[in-house]
Amino acid sequence: MKLFFGPHLRYLKKLVPDRGSSSQYFRLFIGKIFKGIDIGEVIYLDCDTLIQSNGIDDLKKFNFKGQLLGACLDPWSKEYRLLLHLEGTTKMLNSGVLVINVIEWKKRKIDTFFEKIIDDRTHFIQGDQGLLDEVINGNFIVLDPKFNAISSYFEMSYRELMIFRKPEYFYGFEDVQKAKRNPIIVHFTSSFINKRPWESFDSTLYGSLWKREYFELFNKKIKIYEQHYSIFQKTFDLLPRRLSISLLGFIQCTLRPIKLYLCEKRKKA
């Protein structure tokens, strides 16, 4: 199979990621990447994921019901919805695990929507995920959270997660508990509590398993990247847990969106 990486590469010059590689933006151009290739759907996984069981097979021959993709919910607060020009309770996705309807994507020429936004702007909030949320606008099939069990599920109680992220639209308690007990795909997302398996200060629940899988695959140990002990980690360690989560939640859900808004406004000026 020959994939097409052509004109859309010019857009990557404007798409500077806040972390990781600019290749994260490739998923926005699925239509062009699979141009001329007869393929119905693609299961996209971020590189910081770990497949835990054969349950991923359930995503094959996915029933899209006319939608562009299937994804898990991300617990974003209403302030982030305002930044992305979304209504207050619009569903927001996590782009780490996507089941993409390639046929419908090509038919609706979704790539062109991203191209127009990129042409018109110089600043992009929340990387590829922010662009996906803005264009998809909540019109996606919600996957069971077991297909994208983010690190916060294992690091916090459900109540703590609600306090920290203050989501407007999210899974219920039982859904998240089941995903914690039997995750199909674990997604190593960063937080003030922990780091990813290839970073220093990591003690994630599935981190050692990820390292073992890496060793078996490449026959060498993963290089550990030294990370500084952030002010948020220090705050979490110094203050009582409940107080620190509330304080850091205020920074995450209120102060950070204000900072992003001012940054966007300054760059437009």
Side-chain angles (χ1 to χ4, degrees), residues 169-182:
Y169 190 104
F170 198 55
Y171 301 107
F173 172 78
E174 285 300 330
D175 293 323
V176 173
Q177 292 304 108
K178 290 177 183 177
K180 286 172 65 174
R181 289 193 295 268
N182 296 294

Side-chain angles (χ1 to χ4, degrees), residues 8 35 69 96 150 158-159 162 180 199 213 253 262:
H8 71 280
K35 181 180 179 181
L69 52 82
I150 59 176
Y158 183 81
R159 183 173 181 276
M162 296 300 102
K180 286 172 65 174
E199 298 173 332
E213 292 288 337
C253 297
L262 293 175

Side-chain angles (χ1 to χ4, degrees), residues 154-155 180 183 186 188 194 202-210:
F154 307 101
E155 297 166 350
K180 286 172 65 174
V186 175
F188 297 104
N194 224 319
D202 165 63
S203 59
T204 52
L205 180 61
Y206 290 90
S208 58
L209 178 58
W210 188 92

Side-chain angles (χ1 to χ4, degrees), residues 67 86 90-92 132-141:
Q67 300 281 29
L86 301 174
T90 302
K91 294 180 293 185
M92 292 183 72
L132 275 165
D133 268 318
E134 187 171 349
V135 170
I136 301 301
N137 194 26
N139 296 306
F140 62 93
I141 302 292

Side-chain angles (χ1 to χ4, degrees), residues 58-173:
D58 294 343
L59 298 180
K60 295 178 180 178
K61 296 183 179 179
F62 188 73
N63 184 1
F64 289 100
K65 301 177 182 178
Q67 300 281 29
L68 287 167
L69 52 82
C72 288
L73 298 171
D74 208 319
W76 290 109
S77 65
K78 64 180 180 181
E79 287 77 10
Y80 287 94
R81 286 168 170 77
L82 295 174
L83 284 172
L84 296 171
H85 317 291
L86 301 174
E87 294 293 328
T89 57
T90 302
K91 294 180 293 185
M92 292 183 72
L93 57 80
N94 182 296
S95 62
V97 177
L98 301 172
V99 191
I100 303 172
N101 186 344
V102 180
I103 294 173
E104 195 67 21
W105 194 283
K106 290 178 181 178
K107 182 180 177 182
R108 299 192 204 175
K109 299 180 180 179
I110 299 301
D111 295 28
T112 60
F113 289 90
F114 293 116
E115 289 167 1
K116 187 178 187 308
I117 292 175
I118 296 165
D119 279 334
D120 292 344
R121 295 184 196 166
T122 57
H123 182 61
F124 307 95
I125 296 170
Q126 292 301 125
D128 67 279
Q129 185 168 300
L131 286 165
L132 275 165
D133 268 318
E134 187 171 349
V135 170
I136 301 301
N137 194 26
N139 296 306
F140 62 93
I141 302 292
V142 177
L143 300 179
D144 190 295
K146 66 184 178 182
F147 290 109
N148 191 348
I150 59 176
S151 295
S152 296
Y153 291 176
F154 307 101
E155 297 166 350
M156 302 180 188
S157 68
Y158 183 81
R159 183 173 181 276
E160 288 173 337
L161 180 59
M162 296 300 102
I163 292 171
F164 176 56
R165 298 290 297 272
K166 299 176 177 57
E168 286 291 300
Y169 190 104
F170 198 55
Y171 301 107
F173 172 78

Side-chain angles (χ1 to χ4, degrees), residues 254-268:
T254 304
L255 297 186
R256 184 170 180 264
I258 291 173
K259 178 185 175 182
L260 290 172
Y261 170 77
L262 293 175
C263 183
E264 183 181 30
K265 191 175 181 180
R266 187 171 62 250
K267 291 194 176 186
K268 283 181 178 179

